[in-house]
């Protein structure tokens, strides 16, 4: 089996600034230490957007310092809280797609992972947190799919293109999801969509493909199916995603490492009836 790790919604803030009592840099560091110890065999680490809370260069610099020398190759993606120009300024050596967006193709045996840039901007209108895939980005996706006819394809994107049942979050999903679903309907080898943005573990099926959403390393969204507010946050334990690929399946695990750290494993066989 081949393995990759997904860390999403890091929301780094400048030194000393918290989010509901959580310090995003400390939270990220815990995740990075856990991944390094538990999954030294992971072939790739995808950071799936909302790398920063405000898109400031200073916040991207914190990320750069935190991952310096990390032993697993990293692919960076952007979310609605990021700013592409600040990212490019901080990471000038990270290649962009010819369109200028942060879109990447990862090859993993017979699997192709296409990482899309759903950041809506520039300009970055205040409180506009929807994602978008403009014509340039969709054209890039079509070209990559043309090169992947005999491969199994997974899509990675910060914004889910589908509803998740939280009205507030559904308002800020990918805005032009019908354009993406049209492309998906034309490519039967697209098997799964991985996203972040919602800060919860969610899975399901949409438009013929499966989807998985991973928790944040920082704050989480409460279970509130009637919530119209997309900014509700709770300090529930953090998690990251582990994705396994074999000939038959794409397998998505969520590693609630903060719970795992607190509890030691006990064999059920050793417990009294
Ligand atoms: Fe987020
Ligand atoms: Fe987001």
């Amino acid at each position: 089996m081949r393995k990759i790790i997904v860390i999403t919604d890091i929301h780094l803030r400048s030194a000393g600034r918290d989010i509901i009592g959580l310090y995003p840099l400390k939270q990220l560091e815990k995740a990075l230490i856990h991944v390094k110890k538990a999954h030294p065999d992971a072939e790739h680490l995808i950071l799936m957007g909302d790398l920063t809370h405000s898109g400031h260069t200073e916040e991207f610099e914190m990320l750069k310092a935190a991952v310096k020398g990390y032993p697993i190759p990293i692919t960076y993606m952007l979310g609605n809280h990021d700013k592409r120009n600040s990212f490019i300024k901080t990471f000038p050596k990270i290649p962009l797609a010819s369109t200028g967006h942060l879109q990447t193709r990862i090859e993993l045996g017979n699997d192709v992972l296409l990482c899309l840039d759903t950041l809506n901007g520039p300009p970055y209108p205040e409180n506009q947190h929807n994602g978008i895939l403009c014509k340039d980005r969709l054209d890039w996706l079509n070209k990559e799919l043309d090169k992947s006819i005999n491969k199994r394809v997974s899509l990675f994107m910060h914004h889910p293109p589908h509803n998740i049942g939280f009205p507030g979050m559904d308002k800020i999903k990918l805005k032009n999801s019908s354009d993406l679903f049209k492309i998906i309907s034309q490519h039967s080898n697209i098997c799964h969509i991985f996203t972040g943005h919602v800060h919860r573990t969610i899975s399901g099926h949409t438009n013929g493909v499966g989807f998985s959403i991973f928790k944040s390393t920082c704050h989480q969204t409460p279970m509130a199916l009637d919530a119209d507010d997309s900014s509700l946050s709770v300090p529930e334990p953090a998690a990251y995603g582990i994705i396994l690929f074999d000939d038959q399946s794409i397998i998505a695990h969520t590693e609630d490492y903060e719970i795992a750290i607190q509890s030691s494993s006990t064999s059920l066989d050793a417990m009294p009836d």
Side-chain angles (χ1 to χ4, degrees):
M1 277 194 188
R2 304 187 75 155
K3 180 198 285 181
I4 69 157
I5 303 295
V6 175
I7 286 179
T8 190
D9 293 278
I10 302 164
H11 284 258
L12 285 176
R13 298 195 83 185
S14 50
R17 301 191 72 186
D18 70 303
I19 298 175
I20 59 164
L22 298 166
Y23 291 89
L25 179 60
K26 276 191 188 160
Q27 293 293 116
L28 171 65
E29 286 169 346
K30 270 192 266 180
L32 290 173
I33 289 168
H34 196 276
V35 169
K36 194 157 77 171
K37 268 191 186 170
H39 305 289
D41 57 335
E43 295 184 53
H44 223 90
L45 168 60
I46 295 179
L47 303 181
M48 206 160 47
D50 283 358
L51 306 174
T52 67
H53 195 59
S54 306
H56 298 322
T57 306
E58 184 189 352
E59 295 168 338
F60 284 112
E61 291 288 354
M62 291 167 76
L63 176 62
K64 194 176 187 178
V67 299
K68 193 172 179 215
Y70 204 65
I72 302 171
I74 297 175
T75 291
Y76 299 87
M77 294 173 59
L78 298 174
N80 48 301
H81 282 265
D82 299 315
K83 290 197 169 55
R84 198 177 295 106
N85 41 355
S86 303
F87 175 84
I88 294 168
K89 199 172 158 193
T90 313
F91 294 93
K93 290 184 182 161
I94 302 287
L96 301 173
S98 57
T99 61
H101 298 97
L102 188 57
Q103 303 207 120
T104 313
R105 175 191 183 92
I106 301 169
E107 301 251 3
L108 210 66
N110 193 45
D111 282 280
V112 169
L113 322 183
L114 298 176
C115 302
L116 304 177
D117 178 343
T118 55
L119 172 55
N120 186 2
Y124 306 106
E126 276 297 304
N127 300 319
Q128 293 281 313
H129 289 286
N130 297 91
I132 198 93
L133 283 171
C134 61
K135 186 178 179 306
D136 281 353
R137 284 173 269 189
L138 292 169
D139 286 349
W140 179 94
L141 174 59
N142 270 317
K143 276 186 199 152
E144 293 302 322
L145 288 166
D146 287 346
K147 290 194 269 174
S148 314
I149 287 167
N150 296 316
K151 302 274 189 175
R152 184 172 61 179
V153 176
S154 300
L155 302 181
F156 291 74
M157 45 202 292
H158 180 73
H159 292 82
H162 49 79
N163 287 335
I164 47 104
F166 295 161
M169 291 305 299
D170 291 343
K171 280 184 199 159
I172 59 166
K173 66 181 179 183
L174 184 76
K175 210 171 182 175
N176 59 325
S177 52
S178 58
D179 293 335
L180 179 69
F181 287 132
K182 190 173 170 201
I183 291 174
I184 288 174
S185 73
Q186 293 160 349
H187 296 84
S188 58
N189 57 338
I190 299 177
C191 294
H192 208 83
I193 302 171
F194 293 98
T195 64
H197 190 51
V198 187
H199 298 223
R200 270 200 86 82
T201 306
I202 306 170
S203 61
H205 192 261
T206 180
N207 288 263
V209 287
F211 67 79
S212 302
I213 304 176
F214 296 118
K215 286 171 91 175
S216 164
T217 49
C218 192
H219 50 299
Q220 315 304 334
T221 295
M223 171 47 73
L225 287 169
D226 55 351
D228 205 34
D229 182 351
S230 64
S231 66
L232 298 179
S233 298
V234 285
E236 288 178 7
Y240 59 78
I242 306 164
I243 308 175
L244 305 173
F245 300 85
D246 71 9
D247 292 345
Q248 300 289 317
S249 311
I250 297 171
I251 304 149
H253 289 268
T254 181
E255 169 59 281
D256 293 85
Y257 57 93
E258 290 194 312
I259 299 173
I261 289 166
Q262 287 160 16
S263 56
S264 56
S265 311
T266 304
S267 167
L268 291 181
D269 292 341
M271 292 177 75
D273 290 334

